[in-house]
Amino acid sequence: AQLPPALERSVVSVAGTVASLPEVESRRTRFRFRVDGDAAQPDALRGRLLQLAWYDDFGSTQPGPRLALQAGARWRFQVRVRAPRGLANPGGFDAERNALARRIAATGLVVSGSGRRLAPPRGIDAWRERIAGRIDAAIETPASRYVRALAVGDTRALDEGDWHMLRATGLTHLIA
């Protein structure tokens, strides 16, 4: 169910759809990517789900093209792939098991300068991202992050303090 050892740390060209709301951080963007099912894709990745990270170039002072990622858009990337794995701490979080449960075949890094958008966003995730943007524009207070989470399940703006408060008050089930 995961990446064959022969492809470990290799660079492959893949085309597909951004399958999650991109999580934008200060220097990287993380997202799930569904590889197209056509014969032009690598056999082991055809139709599979990847967890990708796209970093800005080293030393850059401005965010790069990664900010153009939108849920539901089709892209082509050169990606350095590897099998999902994590630290083997007894009793700790098992990243490999988590990836298997979420059906993630591989993790990877987008090779700098290789991203090219093929088609505009469409589908349910694109709609969720548009609605989340409209909520942000309409509600100009910090509370907009809760409205986004409740209305369309966009929890990207909730930090650990927010989750702690939701757990303490017994309200996490509203967002889940």
Side-chain angles (χ1 to χ4, degrees):
Q2 293 181 343
L3 188 70
L7 286 179
E8 185 73 21
R9 298 209 182 271
S10 65
V11 175
V12 294
S13 178
V14 291
T17 305
V18 177
S20 66
L21 299 176
E23 299 173 23
V24 178
E25 297 171 3
S26 62
R27 197 172 159 257
R28 75 172 176 183
T29 299
R30 294 178 348 140
F31 59 100
R32 286 190 305 277
F33 187 75
R34 172 79 58 194
V35 178
D36 289 342
D38 62 24
Q41 306 307 312
D43 288 339
L45 299 177
R46 192 175 299 147
R48 307 298 293 278
L49 190 62
L50 310 178
Q51 177 72 47
L52 299 179
W54 191 353
Y55 285 86
D56 289 329
D57 291 335
F58 185 73
S60 65
T61 57
Q62 297 295 321
R66 66 184 174 85
L67 295 183
L69 279 174
Q70 293 175 297
R74 293 198 63 249
W75 283 78
R76 176 175 305 283
F77 298 112
Q78 294 286 324
V79 180
R80 183 178 312 279
V81 292
R82 69 179 183 93
R85 62 180 160 275
L87 301 174
N89 294 331
F93 179 73
D94 188 341
E96 190 171 350
R97 177 187 285 175
N98 185 353
L100 185 61
R102 292 175 33 204
R103 298 177 186 245
I104 294 173
T107 61
L109 298 173
V110 174
V111 174
S112 178
S114 72
R116 188 170 67 100
R117 191 168 108 160
L118 303 174
R122 64 186 186 114
I124 189 72
D125 285 328
W127 176 82
R128 288 175 60 215
E129 193 167 34
R130 280 194 311 274
I131 296 299
R134 288 176 140 177
I135 290 170
D136 271 347
I139 303 172
E140 297 178 4
T141 67
S144 71
R145 66 185 186 270
Y146 292 109
V147 177
R148 285 177 24 204
L150 289 168
V152 294
D154 181 2
T155 60
R156 295 176 293 174
L158 297 178
D159 61 19
E160 191 54 42
D162 295 328
W163 285 109
H164 179 73
M165 188 269 303
L166 289 167
R167 280 191 297 273
T169 57
L171 297 175
T172 54
H173 68 283
L174 295 175
I175 293 174

